Amino acid sequence: IGRQIPIILSAVALALAACGNGAGPSTIEEPASSATQASVVDPTSITTTTAPSTNTVSTTSTTTSTLPATTLPVAAAFSVATYGAGPIGPLAGSGGMLGSGCAPGPGPLPDGIWFGMVDSAYSNGIKFDLCCLHPGQPVTVTNVNPQLRDVPVADQTTVAMADGVEATYANWSPGDDLVWVFVNAGAATEIAYPTMDVATSTPGSTTWEASPDAGLPVGGGCCSMNYTGPASPTDPWPAQGMPADGVYAVSVTFDEAADDIVLTISRFVPCSEHPEVCHPDPLDGDLGIASDSIVRRAPLDGDLTVRIEGVEPDPEVAATLAAGIEGSGAAFALLMDDMGEAWDAEVMPLIDAGWDHNSIVTELMDRGEADPNYPYGPSSSWMIPGGLLVYRGPLGVQLLFVLEEPNLLRGWSTQLEIVGGDPILYIWAGQIAG
């Protein structure tokens, strides 16, 4: 069974606040010297929303610079003059992130335009904490990897400040600031403070609570069934950010490298006006899914709310959980991570041994009946119609188990509600496979 893009996230990665909240200001200095350079201008002039201090992450490095003694000027294919210092990109290969992205792989930072924090600076190079810059209004920064990268700095490198003042690199004093770094021929040729608002991502709680009854049917538009909830707003799709407040159809995929989900958002439209997008013989009030759509990304953090309906709670573990649960994007990612680990440990060995589908389900059910702590077990709740087997997740959450692939949202559209510009993702438990 081939995998889709599974979430393999650690609790540490999900708890990281966005970069830019380091342990203190850094100055340009030789590794063996404590001499500092004067700051040209206050770099905090950019408007930046920061996460609470209890979630800050120190990226202080105790290693010394291993950069070459000198770096010659290079031709600049990537420059502030060409790209500016606003929401650049996404450029080719960025995976939807602004600039050149945040997953260049191991080794030296390739040529491109990169966003992140300068942890420390020396006469001939910087230690750079690469971040993910998500498009939107405002753009949002997340830090999924605290790795520090050595980036050589070319001679005559300049620093474009947020207020338009241009400084020479030798006279610049970084202070854990979020900047663009323009890399050409393997060296930084320009550094620029962003000229747009940058909001830090909120880590979010990793716990689940009983979900309020929102009255939204989940899973419409599938399996010869039309949708019976509210129609979507007819406002034009925005150039950036989430659409207008309302309810939409959405399909979801995961992007492990960028630590977010990709949302393909469509409108629910009345079947009476668009019979071509509805299943045959619609009833009064039925809706179908229009063909036009937009694609947006949502970080797996506290700004995303996930409501899973059709779950079976374990009354001995979480007696207060109802048929629906609500958590943050961080809680959802950990749930998927836990599911993937169970799949690798318990299901993949049976698949590799050549077991057929029915034999695997029977084996997992027998193991679950014998051991209440086993990650799979039989369903005993009417809240999961036809659910013979469930995955026993954290905090007593039990999801209908579908033997397909781990961390996979099956191909049915589900619902996305936008409230005050923030996304709420509704998922039927049977749509989560693994």
Side-chain angles (χ1 to χ4, degrees):
I1 295 181
R3 291 197 175 206
Q4 300 290 319
I5 307 176
I7 291 184
I8 305 296
L9 302 176
S10 69
V12 173
L14 285 166
L16 289 177
C19 61
N21 297 317
S26 303
T27 56
I28 299 178
E29 60 181 21
E30 298 294 345
S33 170
S34 60
T36 62
Q37 302 289 338
S39 175
V40 174
V41 68
D42 182 3
T44 61
S45 57
I46 182 171
T47 301
T48 304
T49 304
T50 57
S53 60
T54 55
N55 291 322
T56 57
V57 178
S58 172
T59 56
T60 302
S61 174
T62 58
T63 61
T64 59
S65 174
T66 57
L67 301 172
T70 59
T71 305
L72 298 175
V74 295
F78 299 99
S79 67
V80 175
T82 301
Y83 290 95
I88 300 169
L91 302 180
S94 70
M97 297 293 102
L98 293 183
S100 296
C102 53
L109 201 61
D111 288 5
I113 306 174
W114 308 96
F115 193 81
M117 184 185 72
V118 177
D119 177 79
S120 56
Y122 308 103
S123 61
N124 59 346
I126 59 176
K127 286 191 176 294
F128 184 61
D129 187 2
L130 179 63
C131 297
C132 296
L133 193 59
H134 304 257
Q137 294 179 332
V139 298
T140 304
V141 61
T142 59
N143 188 9
V144 300
N145 187 341
Q147 174 188 358
L148 298 181
R149 299 171 182 266
D150 284 319
V151 182
V153 172
D155 293 344
Q156 303 177 16
T157 290
T158 59
V159 180
M161 312 304 291
D163 59 1
V165 174
E166 185 175 279
T168 62
Y169 175 77
N171 291 326
W172 172 59
S173 178
D176 293 340
D177 303 317
L178 292 167
V179 295
W180 290 110
V181 175
F182 294 74
V183 176
N184 293 275
T189 53
E190 290 182 282
I191 296 171
Y193 283 82
T195 57
M196 70 288 186
D197 289 345
V198 179
T200 57
S201 170
T202 56
S205 169
T206 56
T207 62
W208 293 94
E209 299 178 354
S211 176
D213 183 9
L216 285 182
V218 178
C222 164
C223 313
S224 299
M225 296 175 60
N226 296 312
Y227 184 59
T228 58
S232 302
T234 58
D235 305 50
W237 295 124
Q240 297 184 51
M242 292 295 173
D245 284 10
V247 179
Y248 300 85
V250 64
S251 60
V252 184
T253 56
F254 297 104
D255 187 337
E256 177 189 351
D259 192 15
D260 65 10
I261 54 176
V262 181
L263 306 172
T264 301
I265 306 170
S266 306
R267 292 187 180 92
F268 286 118
V269 295
C271 293
S272 58
E273 301 176 15
H274 301 274
E276 73 281 0
V277 300
C278 295
H279 293 290
D281 301 321
L283 301 175
D284 289 343
D286 277 8
L287 297 99
I289 301 173
S291 58
D292 65 314
S293 62
I294 58 172
V295 177
R296 295 290 186 267
R297 287 176 174 264
L300 290 165
D301 59 15
D303 293 329
L304 172 67
T305 299
V306 179
R307 291 177 179 168
I308 304 178
E309 299 185 11
V311 302
E312 179 180 8
D314 182 345
E316 295 183 359
V317 178
T320 60
L321 287 183
I325 55 173
E326 176 178 309
S328 70
F332 184 55
L334 286 181
L335 181 63
M336 296 296 98
D337 186 26
D338 189 84
M339 181 180 292
E341 291 178 358
W343 173 278
D344 288 339
E346 305 298 336
V347 180
M348 279 306 301
L350 303 181
I351 293 175
D352 292 341
W355 289 42
D356 61 59
H357 176 279
N358 291 334
S359 297
I360 293 175
V361 171
T362 300
E363 177 67 17
L364 297 179
M365 186 179 299
D366 289 344
R367 294 180 185 179
E369 287 180 325
D371 181 3
N373 296 317
Y374 191 71
Y376 303 100
S379 170
S380 59
S381 174
W382 59 269
M383 289 186 290
I384 306 181
L388 300 179
L389 190 66
V390 294
Y391 158 73
R392 295 165 171 169
L395 300 179
V397 176
Q398 299 196 30
L399 308 179
L400 175 63
F401 177 79
V402 181
L403 189 65
E404 289 187 4
E405 298 172 12
N407 304 343
L408 170 67
L409 284 177
R410 303 170 72 195
W412 308 348
S413 291
T414 185
Q415 276 68 272
L416 180 72
E417 184 176 15
I418 307 296
V419 179
D422 293 328
I424 303 174
L425 181 62
Y426 291 81
I427 303 172
W428 172 251
Q431 288 181 269
I432 303 177

